[in-house]
Amino acid sequence: MGQQETVATSLADTVREGIGAALAEVDADLARRYPGDPGTRQPVHTVYVPGDAFTAGTIRSWGDQALAMLDEHAPDAAALAAVLDLPDDLAGPVHERVRAKLEREPVEDLRIDFEDGYGVRPDAEEDEAAARAAALVAAAYRDGTAAPYMGIRMKCMEAAVRDRGIRTLDIFLTGLLEAGGLPDGLVLTLPKVTYAEQVTAMVRLLEAFEKARDLTPGRIGFEIQIETTQSILGPDGRATVSRMIEAAEGRATALHYGTFDYSASCGVSAAYQASDHPAADHAKAVMQVAAAGTGVRLSDGSTNVLPVGPTAQVHDAWKLHHGLTRRALARAYYQGWDMHPGHLPTRYAAVYAFYREGLEKAAARLAAYVAKAGGDVMDEPATAKALSGYLLRGLDCGAVDPAEVARLTGLTRADLEGLAGRFAALG
């Protein structure tokens, strides 16, 4: 007793050691390329506001406008449920949480736009707008009115606007540093990427800025916006987006799908440009596979159908937006663009219903997995990871509460983080 029983083997230790040595380089490459989830909260949306329209009151204004639209077009839970076809048991909790979210944190991620939403302006005008954006963002983080994530979308790396984009980025980042430093929630977006070399150029630009301002190397990351066919499939038939992630050298934080630019580049006529078009589904499927395991997150695009006008027209736009958001969530695109304050009620209604309707089943399956209790479904570690990620996303956006998740699973948030592989969040 207490001694390990000796078993017979045929292979010498040198065989195992030799295989380990032969695969050491592969092991290191896997760890570098596929580090897994970054362990941070992912916003459920990104709101774009033109650089000349952004003010200190923009975020609160969006929330107030969204609340006013709810009051006018869906004043209670039953009315909202009727428009969006929500189940009776979800109507009350979803409506209540949507209102609370719009009052507390109406925008999770905001991008001040210096690209398509801003256009080409005189240099002095864009200089002033970029400096003003930096001052407003810094002030928002100081006084607690900032969104969890904020930043700018610069002009792209194409020759015609490259210098202007670089200058705007320099002014914005310099302004943030002069105002106290780069906020933790800083996000930058590089649009209309067609070649991996443009991503490499962005890396070199950020390296130069970090060196000039004595920042920690790698401090500044960026999103890559997928808006052209060349960013999905290269002339050699390879998936270009994978090369772009590699070219970012660990700085890529997300891939954002650009619905209308990409659709146009595929030749889709304007009436059919939408995030559920087959061309969009193909692009996002390629993005999804390319990003899997890399720690680079995905964002769906937007709808350009705005909820404005009489109530019937608003309801039609809400139904469309809600349906597209639900569709994206089911396909594991957990973030999307919102272009108008009226999109916020349906964004949060779709997100909250998605996480609340599956809460009890997901919690029960996870609890059974942890307890090894069995049941009518045999889950594996990969499924437990997905179940934990589902619950964590619900917690992050406010769809579910920590107390109810703990009651249903018997697990703490730290337990969920570990099961989901969000090890960075535990440090």
Side-chain angles (χ1 to χ4, degrees):
M1 297 292 292
Q3 294 182 349
Q4 184 175 356
E5 184 178 349
T6 301
V7 296
T9 62
S10 301
L11 297 175
D13 288 345
T14 54
V15 175
R16 172 180 50 79
E17 293 165 357
I19 290 175
L23 291 178
E25 188 174 337
V26 170
D27 293 340
D29 198 52
L30 281 170
R32 179 182 67 82
R33 292 176 185 269
Y34 302 103
D37 192 280
T40 55
R41 169 186 179 183
Q42 181 179 11
V44 302
H45 70 169
T46 300
V47 163
Y48 277 73
V49 178
D52 58 336
F54 179 67
T55 71
T58 292
I59 292 175
R60 186 61 265 153
S61 174
W62 273 58
D64 290 343
Q65 290 179 69
L67 285 166
M69 292 191 70
L70 266 184
D71 290 339
E72 181 177 357
H73 303 293
D76 54 37
L80 185 64
V83 175
L84 305 181
D85 196 26
L86 298 175
D88 291 342
D89 61 325
L90 289 179
V94 167
H95 186 267
E96 178 184 348
R97 287 170 186 270
V98 168
R99 288 199 65 91
K101 179 73 168 181
L102 296 175
E103 292 167 354
R104 181 187 75 255
E105 186 185 76
V107 175
E108 291 195 356
D109 183 28
L110 186 142
R111 208 69 70 251
I112 305 167
D113 191 17
F114 287 94
E115 202 230 356
D116 285 349
Y118 184 76
V120 177
R121 311 284 183 94
D123 282 339
E125 183 177 343
E126 185 160 342
D127 283 356
E128 182 180 357
R132 178 172 162 273
L136 289 171
V137 169
Y141 277 103
R142 282 197 305 270
D143 64 24
T145 61
Y149 299 94
M150 296 182 74
I152 66 168
R153 178 169 70 166
M154 60 189 282
K155 289 178 171 62
C156 70
M157 285 291 180
E158 293 176 356
V161 293
R162 182 186 304 140
D163 289 350
R164 180 63 260 181
I166 292 172
R167 181 172 175 82
T168 295
L169 180 65
D170 187 3
I171 292 170
F172 179 72
L173 293 177
T174 300
L176 287 176
L177 286 174
E178 296 295 326
L182 303 182
D184 290 338
L186 174 67
V187 189
L188 305 174
T189 304
L190 179 66
K192 292 184 176 58
V193 181
T194 53
Y195 280 76
E197 288 80 1
Q198 293 168 327
V199 176
T200 300
M202 182 69 166
V203 172
R204 299 287 91 81
L205 174 62
L206 295 177
E207 284 178 343
F209 187 89
E210 289 165 350
K211 184 176 181 180
R213 298 303 302 240
D214 196 26
L215 299 174
T216 303
R219 165 66 181 84
I220 308 172
F222 61 97
E223 302 167 335
I224 300 170
Q225 202 152 18
I226 304 301
E227 301 179 271
T228 66
T229 56
Q230 294 93 337
S231 61
I232 293 296
L233 195 68
D236 57 359
R238 295 176 60 191
T240 323
V241 66
S242 296
R243 295 181 56 213
M244 291 177 179
I245 292 173
E246 178 70 9
E249 300 177 18
R251 291 179 186 263
T253 58
L255 302 174
H256 282 232
Y257 176 68
T259 303
F260 304 103
D261 281 285
Y262 187 86
S263 297
S265 73
C266 287
V268 179
S269 60
Y272 298 98
Q273 293 177 0
S275 62
D276 59 352
H277 190 280
D281 284 341
H282 170 260
K284 287 181 286 187
V286 175
M287 291 164 58
Q288 192 170 52
V289 174
T294 65
V296 177
R297 286 166 165 167
L298 299 177
S299 176
D300 200 358
S302 62
T303 175
N304 59 358
V305 179
L306 304 184
V308 297
T311 294
Q313 187 171 321
V314 170
H315 285 180
D316 285 344
W318 275 355
K319 290 174 185 176
L320 174 65
H321 183 246
H322 181 265
L324 291 173
T325 303
R326 284 280 318 191
R327 184 180 189 274
L329 290 167
R331 285 158 175 76
Y333 311 131
Y334 299 114
Q335 185 176 352
W337 297 8
D338 288 327
M339 309 299 287
H340 186 274
H343 286 144
L344 299 186
T346 39
R347 169 69 60 183
Y348 292 123
V351 168
Y352 290 171
F354 178 77
Y355 290 113
R356 292 205 64 81
E357 68 189 14
L359 170 61
E360 292 191 4
K361 186 174 182 179
R365 286 179 66 179
L366 190 60
Y369 171 84
V370 172
K372 296 180 172 57
D376 60 351
V377 178
M378 183 179 292
D379 287 325
E380 298 184 354
T383 305
K385 181 178 181 179
L387 291 167
S388 300
Y390 173 83
L391 296 175
L392 286 166
R393 289 180 184 279
L395 287 167
D396 285 343
C397 70
V400 299
D401 298 325
E404 60 184 334
V405 173
R407 174 176 57 81
L408 291 168
T409 63
L411 302 172
T412 66
R413 176 160 186 131
D415 294 330
L416 295 176
E417 298 278 9
L419 288 166
R422 290 190 180 185
F423 301 110
L426 299 175

PDB file of all heavy atoms in Angstrom, residues 329-345:
ATOM      1  N   LEU A 329     -26.060  37.148 -32.495  1.00  0.00           N
ATOM      2  CA  LEU A 329     -25.724  36.508 -31.228  1.00  0.00           C
ATOM      3  C   LEU A 329     -25.722  34.992 -31.365  1.00  0.00           C
ATOM      4  O   LEU A 329     -24.841  34.307 -30.832  1.00  0.00           O
ATOM      5  CB  LEU A 329     -26.721  36.945 -30.147  1.00  0.00           C
ATOM      6  CG  LEU A 329     -26.615  38.399 -29.680  1.00  0.00           C
ATOM      7  CD1 LEU A 329     -27.832  38.788 -28.872  1.00  0.00           C
ATOM      8  CD2 LEU A 329     -25.340  38.617 -28.867  1.00  0.00           C
ATOM      9  N   ALA A 330     -26.716  34.456 -32.056  1.00  0.00           N
ATOM     10  CA  ALA A 330     -26.774  33.013 -32.246  1.00  0.00           C
ATOM     11  C   ALA A 330     -25.598  32.494 -33.048  1.00  0.00           C
ATOM     12  O   ALA A 330     -25.220  31.319 -32.926  1.00  0.00           O
ATOM     13  CB  ALA A 330     -28.088  32.638 -32.932  1.00  0.00           C
ATOM     14  N   ARG A 331     -25.006  33.349 -33.862  1.00  0.00           N
ATOM     15  CA  ARG A 331     -23.856  32.962 -34.679  1.00  0.00           C
ATOM     16  C   ARG A 331     -22.527  33.359 -34.037  1.00  0.00           C
ATOM     17  O   ARG A 331     -21.488  33.327 -34.672  1.00  0.00           O
ATOM     18  CB  ARG A 331     -23.992  33.588 -36.074  1.00  0.00           C
ATOM     19  CG  ARG A 331     -25.032  32.870 -36.922  1.00  0.00           C
ATOM     20  CD  ARG A 331     -25.569  33.732 -38.047  1.00  0.00           C
ATOM     21  NE  ARG A 331     -26.473  32.962 -38.904  1.00  0.00           N
ATOM     22  CZ  ARG A 331     -27.725  32.628 -38.581  1.00  0.00           C
ATOM     23  NH1 ARG A 331     -28.229  33.015 -37.400  1.00  0.00           N
ATOM     24  NH2 ARG A 331     -28.474  31.926 -39.408  1.00  0.00           N
ATOM     25  N   ALA A 332     -22.583  33.740 -32.763  1.00  0.00           N
ATOM     26  CA  ALA A 332     -21.389  34.051 -31.963  1.00  0.00           C
ATOM     27  C   ALA A 332     -20.700  35.344 -32.382  1.00  0.00           C
ATOM     28  O   ALA A 332     -19.493  35.499 -32.208  1.00  0.00           O
ATOM     29  CB  ALA A 332     -20.395  32.894 -31.983  1.00  0.00           C
ATOM     30  N   TYR A 333     -21.470  36.294 -32.932  1.00  0.00           N
ATOM     31  CA  TYR A 333     -20.963  37.655 -33.133  1.00  0.00           C
ATOM     32  C   TYR A 333     -21.582  38.485 -32.011  1.00  0.00           C
ATOM     33  O   TYR A 333     -22.715  38.953 -32.111  1.00  0.00           O
ATOM     34  CB  TYR A 333     -21.369  38.202 -34.499  1.00  0.00           C
ATOM     35  CG  TYR A 333     -21.099  37.261 -35.650  1.00  0.00           C
ATOM     36  CD1 TYR A 333     -22.072  36.980 -36.594  1.00  0.00           C
ATOM     37  CD2 TYR A 333     -19.857  36.646 -35.797  1.00  0.00           C
ATOM     38  CE1 TYR A 333     -21.834  36.102 -37.652  1.00  0.00           C
ATOM     39  CE2 TYR A 333     -19.606  35.762 -36.842  1.00  0.00           C
ATOM     40  CZ  TYR A 333     -20.600  35.505 -37.763  1.00  0.00           C
ATOM     41  OH  TYR A 333     -20.366  34.634 -38.796  1.00  0.00           O
ATOM     42  N   TYR A 334     -20.835  38.648 -30.931  1.00  0.00           N
ATOM     43  CA  TYR A 334     -21.394  39.194 -29.701  1.00  0.00           C
ATOM     44  C   TYR A 334     -21.357  40.716 -29.623  1.00  0.00           C
ATOM     45  O   TYR A 334     -21.742  41.298 -28.623  1.00  0.00           O
ATOM     46  CB  TYR A 334     -20.663  38.591 -28.492  1.00  0.00           C
ATOM     47  CG  TYR A 334     -20.818  37.097 -28.423  1.00  0.00           C
ATOM     48  CD1 TYR A 334     -19.717  36.256 -28.593  1.00  0.00           C
ATOM     49  CD2 TYR A 334     -22.060  36.517 -28.210  1.00  0.00           C
ATOM     50  CE1 TYR A 334     -19.855  34.876 -28.533  1.00  0.00           C
ATOM     51  CE2 TYR A 334     -22.208  35.132 -28.148  1.00  0.00           C
ATOM     52  CZ  TYR A 334     -21.108  34.330 -28.315  1.00  0.00           C
ATOM     53  OH  TYR A 334     -21.248  32.966 -28.273  1.00  0.00           O
ATOM     54  N   GLN A 335     -20.908  41.344 -30.681  1.00  0.00           N
ATOM     55  CA  GLN A 335     -20.790  42.798 -30.731  1.00  0.00           C
ATOM     56  C   GLN A 335     -21.267  43.264 -32.097  1.00  0.00           C
ATOM     57  O   GLN A 335     -21.197  42.523 -33.077  1.00  0.00           O
ATOM     58  CB  GLN A 335     -19.326  43.196 -30.503  1.00  0.00           C
ATOM     59  CG  GLN A 335     -19.049  44.683 -30.398  1.00  0.00           C
ATOM     60  CD  GLN A 335     -17.579  44.964 -30.074  1.00  0.00           C
ATOM     61  OE1 GLN A 335     -16.815  44.038 -29.791  1.00  0.00           O
ATOM     62  NE2 GLN A 335     -17.178  46.213 -30.119  1.00  0.00           N
ATOM     63  N   GLY A 336     -21.781  44.479 -32.187  1.00  0.00           N
ATOM     64  CA  GLY A 336     -22.206  45.035 -33.463  1.00  0.00           C
ATOM     65  C   GLY A 336     -22.187  46.547 -33.390  1.00  0.00           C
ATOM     66  O   GLY A 336     -21.952  47.131 -32.336  1.00  0.00           O
ATOM     67  N   TRP A 337     -22.424  47.187 -34.519  1.00  0.00           N
ATOM     68  CA  TRP A 337     -22.449  48.650 -34.565  1.00  0.00           C
ATOM     69  C   TRP A 337     -23.871  49.161 -34.359  1.00  0.00           C
ATOM     70  O   TRP A 337     -24.830  48.571 -34.857  1.00  0.00           O
ATOM     71  CB  TRP A 337     -21.996  49.163 -35.920  1.00  0.00           C
ATOM     72  CG  TRP A 337     -20.601  48.841 -36.314  1.00  0.00           C
ATOM     73  CD1 TRP A 337     -19.715  48.019 -35.685  1.00  0.00           C
ATOM     74  CD2 TRP A 337     -19.939  49.350 -37.473  1.00  0.00           C
ATOM     75  NE1 TRP A 337     -18.533  47.974 -36.382  1.00  0.00           N
ATOM     76  CE2 TRP A 337     -18.653  48.781 -37.482  1.00  0.00           C
ATOM     77  CE3 TRP A 337     -20.314  50.210 -38.481  1.00  0.00           C
ATOM     78  CZ2 TRP A 337     -17.720  49.067 -38.480  1.00  0.00           C
ATOM     79  CZ3 TRP A 337     -19.392  50.489 -39.484  1.00  0.00           C
ATOM     80  CH2 TRP A 337     -18.120  49.934 -39.474  1.00  0.00           C
ATOM     81  N   ASP A 338     -23.985  50.274 -33.673  1.00  0.00           N
ATOM     82  CA  ASP A 338     -25.256  50.996 -33.570  1.00  0.00           C
ATOM     83  C   ASP A 338     -25.048  52.416 -34.077  1.00  0.00           C
ATOM     84  O   ASP A 338     -24.118  53.107 -33.663  1.00  0.00           O
ATOM     85  CB  ASP A 338     -25.770  51.008 -32.129  1.00  0.00           C
ATOM     86  CG  ASP A 338     -26.283  49.649 -31.695  1.00  0.00           C
ATOM     87  OD1 ASP A 338     -26.822  48.926 -32.550  1.00  0.00           O
ATOM     88  OD2 ASP A 338     -26.139  49.301 -30.510  1.00  0.00           O
ATOM     89  N   MET A 339     -25.948  52.848 -34.969  1.00  0.00           N
ATOM     90  CA  MET A 339     -25.753  54.105 -35.681  1.00  0.00           C
ATOM     91  C   MET A 339     -26.673  55.231 -35.218  1.00  0.00           C
ATOM     92  O   MET A 339     -26.555  56.352 -35.684  1.00  0.00           O
ATOM     93  CB  MET A 339     -25.976  53.880 -37.182  1.00  0.00           C
ATOM     94  CG  MET A 339     -25.194  52.705 -37.757  1.00  0.00           C
ATOM     95  SD  MET A 339     -23.409  52.894 -37.610  1.00  0.00           S
ATOM     96  CE  MET A 339     -23.115  54.152 -38.848  1.00  0.00           C
ATOM     97  N   HIS A 340     -27.611  54.929 -34.309  1.00  0.00           N
ATOM     98  CA  HIS A 340     -28.613  55.919 -33.923  1.00  0.00           C
ATOM     99  C   HIS A 340     -29.064  55.611 -32.492  1.00  0.00           C
ATOM    100  O   HIS A 340     -29.119  54.434 -32.093  1.00  0.00           O
ATOM    101  CB  HIS A 340     -29.805  55.832 -34.888  1.00  0.00           C
ATOM    102  CG  HIS A 340     -30.849  56.875 -34.695  1.00  0.00           C
ATOM    103  ND1 HIS A 340     -31.887  56.744 -33.789  1.00  0.00           N
ATOM    104  CD2 HIS A 340     -31.032  58.079 -35.309  1.00  0.00           C
ATOM    105  CE1 HIS A 340     -32.655  57.808 -33.845  1.00  0.00           C
ATOM    106  NE2 HIS A 340     -32.149  58.639 -34.755  1.00  0.00           N
ATOM    107  N   PRO A 341     -29.391  56.641 -31.684  1.00  0.00           N
ATOM    108  CA  PRO A 341     -29.862  56.375 -30.317  1.00  0.00           C
ATOM    109  C   PRO A 341     -31.043  55.408 -30.268  1.00  0.00           C
ATOM    110  O   PRO A 341     -31.188  54.632 -29.312  1.00  0.00           O
ATOM    111  CB  PRO A 341     -30.251  57.766 -29.809  1.00  0.00           C
ATOM    112  CG  PRO A 341     -29.394  58.707 -30.587  1.00  0.00           C
ATOM    113  CD  PRO A 341     -29.261  58.098 -31.947  1.00  0.00           C
ATOM    114  N   GLY A 342     -31.881  55.433 -31.310  1.00  0.00           N
ATOM    115  CA  GLY A 342     -33.031  54.547 -31.343  1.00  0.00           C
ATOM    116  C   GLY A 342     -32.676  53.087 -31.503  1.00  0.00           C
ATOM    117  O   GLY A 342     -33.546  52.211 -31.323  1.00  0.00           O
ATOM    118  N   HIS A 343     -31.429  52.781 -31.831  1.00  0.00           N
ATOM    119  CA  HIS A 343     -30.995  51.387 -31.904  1.00  0.00           C
ATOM    120  C   HIS A 343     -30.666  50.819 -30.527  1.00  0.00           C
ATOM    121  O   HIS A 343     -30.590  49.590 -30.377  1.00  0.00           O
ATOM    122  CB  HIS A 343     -29.759  51.252 -32.802  1.00  0.00           C
ATOM    123  CG  HIS A 343     -30.060  51.392 -34.257  1.00  0.00           C
ATOM    124  ND1 HIS A 343     -29.186  52.003 -35.149  1.00  0.00           N
ATOM    125  CD2 HIS A 343     -31.129  51.016 -35.000  1.00  0.00           C
ATOM    126  CE1 HIS A 343     -29.709  51.978 -36.366  1.00  0.00           C
ATOM    127  NE2 HIS A 343     -30.883  51.386 -36.301  1.00  0.00           N
ATOM    128  N   LEU A 344     -30.451  51.670 -29.545  1.00  0.00           N
ATOM    129  CA  LEU A 344     -30.039  51.171 -28.233  1.00  0.00           C
ATOM    130  C   LEU A 344     -31.106  50.309 -27.558  1.00  0.00           C
ATOM    131  O   LEU A 344     -30.778  49.266 -26.986  1.00  0.00           O
ATOM    132  CB  LEU A 344     -29.641  52.338 -27.316  1.00  0.00           C
ATOM    133  CG  LEU A 344     -28.470  53.211 -27.790  1.00  0.00           C
ATOM    134  CD1 LEU A 344     -28.110  54.231 -26.713  1.00  0.00           C
ATOM    135  CD2 LEU A 344     -27.257  52.367 -28.141  1.00  0.00           C
ATOM    136  N   PRO A 345     -32.409  50.695 -27.570  1.00  0.00           N
ATOM    137  CA  PRO A 345     -33.401  49.837 -26.914  1.00  0.00           C
ATOM    138  C   PRO A 345     -33.434  48.430 -27.488  1.00  0.00           C
ATOM    139  O   PRO A 345     -33.525  47.444 -26.728  1.00  0.00           O
ATOM    140  CB  PRO A 345     -34.726  50.577 -27.156  1.00  0.00           C
ATOM    141  CG  PRO A 345     -34.328  52.012 -27.310  1.00  0.00           C
ATOM    142  CD  PRO A 345     -33.016  51.966 -28.030  1.00  0.00           C
TER     143      PRO A 345
END
